[in-house]
Amino acid sequence: MKPEIITFTILKKFGGLMHAFSTRKGGLSKGIFAGLNLGLNTNDDKESIAENRKLFFDVLDISEKNLAIPGQIHSDRVSIVEEPGFAGESDALITNKRGIFLTIQTADCFPVFLFDSKQNAVGLVHSGWRGAAQNIVGKTIQSMRDYYNCKPENISTAIGPGIQQNCYQVDRKTAAYFTNAVLKPDGENHYLLDLQLTIINQLINYGIPADQIETDGRCTHCEKELFYSYRRDGNQSGRMMSLIGLKN
Ligand SMILES: [Zn+2]
């Protein structure tokens, strides 16, 4: 079985632009990691991870040599990518170089894909609640403006699968970083946080037109056949990969 990948209508229309979000389908990992676990730093069998990665990149017809890979730390740091390889400790990557494919890994956190078709610049963001609290999405758009002269009205964006509000309980301390509009009380001391809506609001606040935001909308916590979930599986959770870049 070939790896099953998710793509977005809003990004598919651009020739030369490659993007993908992996699912569990079509991988070789066993047990709790069953499926296409692409997480390099998970406790899964190393050979299975390597095989899964090969399967995934073969389907996309991309060489692993051309990937940019950040050390994800739930920060608001944006890496300006000039060459493939390790992209430093950060949670967002941007580039305007062809032949480099930006990647991040997630399991519940949201991946955000950005593409400016006028400046031929791409961005990829990893946003969990810490990233959202620090507005990493807004800071990535600002970096695309600063470094590549992008205009928000030319940027098409897609938000991949992540943990949706009904499954995402947070405590009072975490909730304090967010507005009431994205919180639903859940008992005395807890709230359900709508991370996806938070990210949409950040995109709009930084000038992205609402009709240039596509959301997958599926919940990684609910759909266990399709997605890994850190909230559901804890330390024994695999990872999905997001990827975006312009082909040579
Ligand atoms: Zn759910």
Side-chain angles (χ1 to χ4, degrees):
M1 192 171 75
K2 277 209 305 193
E4 204 172 293
I5 60 168
I6 290 171
T7 56
F8 300 89
T9 307
I10 198 166
L11 299 177
K12 269 200 289 210
K13 63 182 180 224
F14 299 109
L17 179 68
M18 168 67 73
H19 76 284
F21 180 84
S22 73
T23 66
R24 297 181 79 155
K25 303 273 189 187
L28 301 169
S29 292
K30 303 269 184 293
I32 188 129
F33 292 105
L36 192 81
N37 174 27
L38 299 175
L40 287 171
N41 301 319
T42 54
N43 295 322
D44 192 1
D45 173 57
K46 295 284 171 251
E47 269 177 40
S48 303
I49 299 170
E51 272 300 306
N52 288 338
R53 291 176 71 92
K54 188 174 172 342
L55 287 167
F56 180 62
F57 297 119
D58 280 355
V59 160
L60 302 176
D61 195 22
I62 283 174
S63 161
E64 287 207 48
K65 289 200 305 278
N66 297 328
L67 306 180
I69 304 169
Q72 295 174 206
I73 51 171
H74 293 280
S75 69
D76 63 349
R77 283 194 219 158
V78 182
S79 288
I80 317 305
V81 176
E82 299 281 337
E83 55 194 34
F86 182 64
E89 291 199 326
S90 68
D91 293 276
L93 306 172
I94 63 173
T95 194
N96 64 352
K97 300 263 184 296
R98 287 184 178 270
I100 299 179
F101 300 93
L102 310 179
T103 67
I104 55 162
Q105 299 174 41
T106 56
D108 288 342
C109 290
F110 283 88
V112 185
F113 301 76
L114 305 109
F115 176 56
D116 181 326
S117 57
K118 296 279 187 293
Q119 300 302 98
N120 276 323
V122 292
L124 187 61
V125 185
H126 158 240
S127 181
W129 76 261
R130 288 183 188 82
Q134 299 172 86
N135 190 19
I136 188 167
V137 162
K139 287 171 184 169
T140 305
I141 294 169
Q142 190 58 49
S143 295
M144 289 176 78
R145 299 181 69 146
D146 293 346
Y147 287 87
Y148 305 136
N149 215 11
C150 294
K151 294 196 170 71
E153 60 265 35
N154 297 329
I155 300 178
S156 297
T157 66
I159 304 174
I163 192 164
Q164 299 289 342
Q165 185 172 27
N166 284 340
C167 289
Y168 196 35
Q169 191 191 63
V170 297
D171 60 19
R172 219 169 244 289
K173 221 173 118 193
T174 303
Y177 289 96
F178 299 92
T179 62
N180 284 334
V182 296
L183 296 168
K184 244 193 269 180
D186 190 33
E188 277 287 282
N189 289 306
H190 291 86
Y191 295 85
L192 298 173
L193 171 61
D194 193 337
L195 209 46
Q196 180 176 284
L197 181 57
T198 305
I199 292 167
I200 291 171
N201 291 339
Q202 290 171 343
L203 290 169
I204 288 173
N205 284 338
Y206 274 71
I208 308 291
D211 63 358
Q212 285 165 218
I213 303 170
E214 182 174 334
T215 55
D216 178 87
R218 278 175 284 186
C219 179
T220 46
H221 189 267
C222 287
E223 304 223 17
K224 56 169 172 278
E225 301 296 313
L226 213 48
F227 304 123
Y228 296 107
S229 166
Y230 190 83
R231 188 52 80 100
R232 189 183 63 226
D233 304 326
N235 283 334
Q236 300 297 309
S237 170
R239 295 286 185 282
M240 285 82 71
M241 180 176 288
S242 299
L243 176 149
I244 190 168
L246 285 158
K247 289 202 152 186
N248 274 314

